[in-house]
Amino acid sequence: MLLIGCVSFAQEVKIFDKETGKVVRNVTVFNSSFDINLSSNDDGIVSISTFKLNEIVVFSHLSYATLRVKKSKIQKQNFVVYLTKSSEQLDEIVLSSFKNDEKSKRIAERIELVNIERIAKVSPQTSADLLATVPGVKVQKSQFGGGSPVIRGMESNRILLVVDGVRMNNAIYRKGHLQNSITITPNLLDKMEVVFGPSSVMYGSDALGGVIHYYTKTPKLTETKEVKSQFFGRFSTVNQEVTSNYAAEISSPTWASFTSISYSEFGDLRAGNRRSHGFADWGQVYYYSENSGNNYKENPTVNNQPNLLRNTGYTQTDVLQKFFVPLSKNTDLKINIQYSTSSNIPRFDRLIELTDLTDTSSLKFAEWEYGPQNRLLVSTQFLLHPGKNWLDKGSITAAYQNIKEQRIQRRFGSLNRSTRNENVDIFSINGDFSVPLTEDRKRVFSYGFEFAHNDVRSTAFGQTLNISNGRLDGFSNTFDISTRYPDGGSDFLTSSLYVGYRQNVSPKSTLNTGVRFTNINMTANWIDQSFFQTNTAMMTSNNSAITATLGYIYKPNINWQLNAVLSSGFRSPNIDDVARIREKAGNITIPNIHVKPEFAYNSEIGILKYFNERKFKIGFNMYYTLLDHYIQRDFVYGANGLLTAVTFNGESGNAVTNQNKGTAYIFGYTANYFGRLTKNWTTSGFVTYTKGRTYDTEEPLSSIPPLFGQFEFTYQKEKLQLGADIRFNSKKDIEDFNFTEGIDNVELTPIVDPNATHFADRYYGSPSWLTVGVNGSYDFNENLSVQARLDNIMDEHYIEFASGVSAAGRNVSVSLVANF
């Protein structure tokens, strides 16, 4: 009896969460014939002594992928099993985009998951480059140090950025092109999720086009104390990029820590030399400004290498510190500290702006750069698993963010430099909870809240440069200039509550629904109105909205899935929408305190078909979104029907404001596939089409990309992986550009008739392009691997739609990963 007891004890399996290292309770353990059915206890332990040595042991849990493994293998693993939230089966990926872990077969909305393996394979220089590889996502760049993602024809403050459950969007996220997506380096990411379509029920304002949710790496617990470290290094030829990342993880049974420090240095970008589009001079830089730091040049400098895009380089540093502490069996604590900073980042598209379009040396700006982009995040998150009737699991996240932005400008022919500083403090707290209404979890109720307060401070000053022997020698004078936002400060308060409900109506169908109420209160104060007069020194507004979603999933059999979604979203105007003052291309944006929220009403259908024993899948998603009271930047007309002229910084220009219009629509679809061709070969691809027009003015909407797509093939055998990819973009005709807002940057497309006065006759539009790339990696052992990529093999020159900078030419990058 003693011998039998010892053998039984020796065959006790301990089950852990692979991501966190915590034990997993209530795991069902059974065999293929179902005559053995056990469950792990509160310590995550279950005895498998009744299983035969070569028998398959099945581990099943609603929150994890099902694991099937032979008992003999478990024995070799010292009776330790790790459950993961994904599996090799295409339908088993677990997503947390709706605040609770769910399997994809229970979610009607279209979601793309980019895991850590995919991030490593793509090896992107920035998170914007990573987003550009996601099916259905387009990225615009005004300068190389940036990236504005476009989802379903919407971008900037119509897209919600989230990191570790904390919204990044703040009160000064602008309409147009927003470059903040680069402030999280890919080296810090564990995964990234992109939710397509209005998601205001779960995320509130701004989530009209979709949500981009970054998840940074988290330490996990271990049974014994462990210290692991990793070094990552990469070099790229196209811009002489050097990136280094060092990460260290300390794990123990009672706490864990993860530290990561990343530094990237990017030189000036080299554009492609092969001009299949037929425009010899398009995108080339013949003159550039050397005015930076203490260097002073009175006139533009000749660029002897027109394909080398001067003033595109910058540096960036990112730091991540995380702690994971289990406070009890039912409560965990995560402490998350993130800091990102950069050097000054040249605003390339403004630095190539000309005062005379026929003279390439007539550069307008001697200086136009962003100061260091600083982002600080400090958050604490409590993960709760009480298992109560009113709360099964949930999380409470309290966070503080500080965002600093700076804009520096000076024109050629002037010694007056203007500097505008923005400081935003954001305090937020949000809770997300769920409880199953039945023991089999076929009906689940979720609820939550969010409060966020933005405090915006805007300052500005002017300085007259003192030049001595061709170098900057201090300043001879200071003078007042207008601030970008109200100089008396601004406040932006968001309060919201939501409820959600999911029910498995039958074994073949699932219903998801939810409702959210959001209230946004905003105040702005102007003190100095000597530069521009407003109707009132203080502006206040209060906007509320109720949004809802209804999703239905039907699975007629194991190989088919049909999805349908009806959803609504809204975006309340922020400080940037109503109170910004700036000049661009002779137009001066002025405040408009009367802007109201814009709404989106969306319908979509999705079809998913599996082949070859579910090793291959094809998907198709089509949507129609109606925009109501959409916000558009437009000219201000006087009572006489003529354009209103205003003076700003001593210059006169046409007044433009953000205005509510009538209705508009966006229609589109994405077709994609992914699957395994053979044991060693896999392939994936997608094609995305988007069309958007206004009903009231009958003109194209801004930010609508042309047809684009990508196809990939991957070969993997043991330690070797090889791949090839094709990326393409069709032409966007000039008549499909929006000329009113200026967001589409039609003036940066090729000129076909320099004497024409109308945009449609003067410019060509956005040319089509296609690039081919190959990549490979080799794992020497579990501690050392190397990767190489050759992108844009044909060295094609192209510019992404609406971008102000050419894309990278032929590029060779080599990466090294070493574990210690």
Side-chain angles (χ1 to χ4, degrees):
M1 290 177 62
L2 179 63
L3 180 62
I4 293 172
C6 292
V7 171
S8 177
F9 178 78
Q11 294 186 358
E12 286 186 340
V13 176
K14 198 163 188 178
I15 307 170
F16 294 94
D17 183 307
K18 188 176 182 179
E19 181 180 350
T20 66
K22 291 200 67 177
V23 298
V24 183
R25 298 172 290 172
N26 302 320
V27 178
T28 302
V29 182
F30 55 92
N31 60 359
S32 300
S33 59
F34 297 100
D35 54 8
I36 301 177
N37 197 314
L38 307 170
S39 181
S40 62
N41 60 21
D42 288 346
D43 296 318
I45 296 174
V46 62
S47 175
I48 59 170
S49 58
T50 54
F51 288 81
K52 298 177 181 178
L53 185 62
N54 290 319
E55 192 171 11
I56 297 292
V57 183
V58 183
F59 297 85
S60 178
H61 193 285
L62 286 169
S63 297
Y64 296 86
T66 301
L67 176 66
R68 295 172 174 84
V69 59
K70 283 187 177 182
K71 179 180 176 178
S72 57
K73 187 174 180 180
I74 298 174
Q75 187 173 341
K76 292 179 181 179
Q77 297 172 176
N78 296 321
F79 293 96
V80 173
V81 168
Y82 290 96
L83 297 186
T84 64
K85 294 186 176 181
S86 64
S87 85
E88 294 179 358
Q89 286 189 317
L90 301 180
D91 65 328
E92 288 293 314
I93 295 177
V94 175
L95 306 165
S96 53
S97 294
F98 290 89
K99 305 297 184 75
N100 291 296
D101 293 340
E102 290 290 353
K103 296 184 179 181
S104 59
K105 64 183 180 181
R106 294 179 177 175
I107 296 174
E109 288 78 2
R110 178 172 170 244
I111 300 173
E112 289 290 337
L113 172 66
V114 183
N115 58 27
I116 193 169
E117 290 80 15
R118 173 65 178 174
I119 295 172
K121 179 183 177 182
V122 174
S123 190
Q125 292 191 0
T126 69
S127 292
D129 296 332
L130 176 63
L131 282 166
T133 68
V134 177
V137 178
K138 202 67 177 167
V139 174
Q140 181 276 348
K141 290 187 178 184
S142 297
Q143 67 277 343
F144 184 67
S148 183
V150 181
I151 301 177
R152 292 189 173 181
M154 302 189 204
E155 65 173 315
S156 59
N157 54 20
R158 285 175 170 171
I159 301 296
L160 181 62
L161 302 181
V162 182
V163 56
D164 293 331
V166 179
R167 65 163 50 221
M168 295 175 63
N169 288 44
N170 57 57
I172 64 172
Y173 264 36
R174 61 186 177 273
K175 180 175 171 58
H177 305 304
L178 193 68
Q179 311 296 324
N180 298 62
S181 63
I182 69 165
T183 59
I184 300 177
T185 181
N187 296 319
L188 304 184
L189 295 179
D190 180 61
K191 65 177 179 178
M192 178 180 68
E193 292 176 351
V194 180
V195 185
F196 291 81
S199 305
S200 292
V201 168
M202 291 299 160
Y203 288 98
S205 179
D206 301 345
L208 291 185
V211 178
I212 297 170
H213 200 149
Y214 299 109
Y215 293 87
T216 59
K217 296 174 181 177
T218 299
K220 65 180 181 180
L221 304 176
T222 54
E223 290 193 286
T224 60
K225 188 173 182 178
E226 295 181 4
V227 178
K228 298 179 181 178
S229 61
Q230 182 184 82
F231 172 79
F232 170 85
R234 180 178 58 232
F235 174 76
S236 301
T237 60
V238 75
N239 57 351
Q240 304 300 300
E241 176 225 10
V242 177
T243 291
S244 300
N245 175 260
Y246 178 76
E249 183 176 1
I250 303 174
S251 304
S252 74
T254 56
W255 68 280
S257 168
F258 180 80
T259 305
S260 179
I261 302 174
S262 182
Y263 176 78
S264 295
E265 183 172 339
F266 305 102
D268 288 333
L269 184 71
R270 186 186 60 80
N273 190 54
R274 187 169 183 263
R275 295 179 165 266
S276 300
H277 47 63
F279 299 98
D281 298 327
W282 182 50
Q284 293 199 326
V285 178
Y286 294 100
Y287 289 86
Y288 68 99
S289 173
E290 287 191 275
N291 291 269
S292 61
N294 292 326
N295 195 39
Y296 174 79
K297 289 287 185 179
E298 184 178 359
N299 298 305
T301 302
V302 175
N303 184 12
N304 295 319
Q305 302 179 67
N307 279 340
L308 184 62
L309 308 182
R310 307 284 186 177
N311 294 319
T312 51
Y314 71 101
T315 64
Q316 180 170 327
T317 303
D318 292 86
V319 179
L320 170 65
Q321 175 61 60
K322 265 191 181 181
F323 296 99
F324 180 70
V325 182
L327 302 178
S328 68
K329 285 186 177 181
N330 299 323
T331 306
D332 301 323
L333 171 65
K334 283 185 182 179
I335 300 175
N336 189 351
I337 302 172
Q338 301 176 21
Y339 180 70
S340 177
T341 187
S342 70
S343 64
N344 285 11
I345 300 179
R347 177 70 187 265
F348 179 80
D349 62 337
R350 302 304 300 273
L351 287 170
I352 62 172
E353 194 173 322
L354 303 176
T355 58
D356 181 356
L357 296 180
T358 63
D359 182 4
T360 57
S361 67
S362 63
L363 297 183
K364 184 176 183 179
F365 289 100
E367 299 177 58
W368 211 127
E369 58 187 1
Y370 293 106
Q373 295 194 55
N374 297 327
R375 181 184 68 88
L376 171 67
L377 166 67
V378 180
S379 73
T380 57
Q381 185 178 61
F382 291 93
L383 305 175
L384 311 173
H385 307 273
K388 303 294 184 181
N389 291 333
W390 56 275
L391 175 58
D392 178 54
K393 62 179 180 179
S395 65
I396 298 176
T397 306
Y400 166 73
Q401 296 180 79
N402 177 256
I403 310 297
K404 287 184 171 65
E405 294 183 359
Q406 186 180 69
R407 292 168 175 83
I408 303 168
Q409 301 173 34
R410 183 176 65 82
R411 295 173 183 251
F412 274 110
S414 172
L415 295 178
N416 292 334
R417 173 195 289 172
S418 65
T419 302
R420 292 176 171 85
N421 299 303
E422 325 304 334
N423 184 88
V424 186
D425 290 310
I426 309 156
F427 300 88
S428 64
I429 182 169
N430 55 277
D432 304 289
F433 315 99
S434 69
V435 56
L437 302 180
T438 57
E439 291 186 3
D440 57 7
R441 301 182 67 90
K442 290 184 177 180
R443 296 167 56 211
V444 177
F445 178 74
S446 59
Y447 57 98
F449 65 87
E450 180 183 41
F451 300 97
H453 178 262
N454 288 238
D455 181 16
V456 182
R457 295 292 177 263
S458 189
T459 60
F461 59 89
Q463 297 169 303
T464 301
L465 277 58
N466 185 41
I467 305 302
S468 176
N469 297 322
R471 293 187 62 81
L472 175 63
D473 184 20
F475 303 94
S476 61
N477 182 39
T478 61
F479 54 93
D480 294 330
I481 62 172
S482 67
T483 56
R484 182 177 174 88
Y485 303 113
D487 57 341
S490 307
D491 294 287
F492 192 79
L493 175 65
T494 302
S495 309
S496 59
L497 301 169
Y498 77 88
V499 294
Y501 176 75
R502 176 182 62 76
Q503 178 178 345
N504 291 338
V505 180
S506 71
K508 294 184 177 182
S509 61
T510 301
L511 177 71
N512 294 294
T513 186
V515 179
R516 186 184 188 105
F517 171 78
T518 303
N519 175 263
I520 295 179
N521 188 276
M522 177 172 52
T523 62
N525 299 279
W526 284 272
I527 297 176
D528 185 356
Q529 297 200 38
S530 59
F531 299 98
F532 183 82
Q533 293 289 325
T534 59
N535 296 329
T536 176
M538 174 181 285
M539 183 216 71
T540 62
S541 70
N542 188 285
N543 298 308
S544 298
I546 295 177
T547 52
T549 185
L550 177 65
Y552 185 75
I553 304 101
Y554 177 66
K555 303 179 288 293
N557 56 54
I558 193 173
N559 292 321
W560 282 92
Q561 179 171 321
L562 308 176
N563 301 337
V565 178
L566 295 174
S567 60
S568 62
F570 91 108
R571 187 181 74 83
S572 182
N574 60 19
I575 300 299
D576 187 90
D577 289 307
V578 304
R580 179 177 58 170
I581 302 175
R582 72 146 190 180
E583 179 276 335
K584 181 182 179 182
N587 297 322
I588 299 172
T589 301
I590 61 176
N592 179 9
I593 64 176
H594 303 294
V595 184
K596 299 299 181 182
E598 56 182 352
F599 293 84
Y601 304 97
N602 178 70
S603 61
E604 62 183 276
I605 58 172
I607 302 174
L608 194 60
K609 176 69 170 73
Y610 293 90
F611 301 89
N612 191 22
E613 298 179 345
R614 301 178 67 83
K615 295 177 182 177
F616 200 100
K617 68 175 181 179
I618 296 177
F620 180 81
N621 181 274
M622 182 170 63
Y623 65 91
Y624 174 89
T625 301
L626 176 69
L627 297 174
D628 189 26
H629 292 91
Y630 68 93
I631 298 174
Q632 177 174 286
R633 190 183 307 148
D634 203 350
F635 293 99
V636 178
Y637 293 90
N640 56 5
L642 299 177
L643 292 174
T644 300
V646 295
T647 300
F648 177 70
N649 282 352
E651 292 195 13
S652 180
N654 294 321
V656 297
T657 62
N658 287 314
Q659 306 170 20
N660 287 106
K661 298 292 186 177
T663 57
Y665 75 90
I666 300 177
F667 165 81
Y669 62 81
T670 293
N672 63 318
Y673 72 90
F674 177 83
R676 186 175 297 279
L677 300 174
T678 66
K679 178 182 178 181
N680 303 112
W681 283 95
T682 59
T683 181
S684 64
F686 74 90
V687 175
T688 295
Y689 170 81
T690 314
K691 180 180 180 179
R693 297 188 69 88
T694 63
Y695 281 120
D696 51 347
T697 61
E698 297 184 350
E699 63 179 333
L701 284 173
S702 300
S703 303
I704 304 297
L707 180 82
F708 66 98
Q710 178 174 302
F711 299 103
E712 293 185 11
F713 294 90
T714 301
Y715 173 83
Q716 185 165 6
K717 185 175 183 180
E718 297 176 351
K719 299 179 179 182
L720 176 67
Q721 184 181 89
L722 300 174
D725 60 78
I726 299 173
R727 299 177 61 228
F728 64 91
N729 205 110
S730 68
K731 178 190 176 185
K732 184 177 176 73
D733 294 324
I734 192 66
E735 56 266 23
D736 293 328
F737 278 69
N738 179 282
F739 302 141
T740 304
E741 289 193 284
I743 293 174
D744 285 352
N745 288 329
V746 62
E747 67 278 4
L748 297 179
T749 67
I751 297 175
V752 292
D753 185 356
N755 297 318
T757 57
H758 193 271
F759 282 152
D761 299 322
R762 182 183 182 88
Y763 296 101
Y764 175 80
S766 180
S768 62
W769 54 265
L770 181 146
T771 65
V772 178
V774 293
N775 61 83
S777 64
Y778 186 79
D779 299 328
F780 292 96
N781 52 53
E782 62 181 10
N783 295 322
L784 182 64
S785 62
V786 65
Q787 181 190 55
R789 295 187 62 90
L790 174 58
D791 295 307
N792 195 358
I793 294 175
M794 305 304 294
D795 201 27
E796 288 286 346
H797 174 267
Y798 66 98
I799 300 178
E800 292 275 15
F801 161 67
S803 291
V805 60
S806 298
R810 183 185 296 116
N811 180 41
V812 177
S813 67
V814 179
S815 306
L816 176 72
V817 178
N819 298 311
F820 304 98

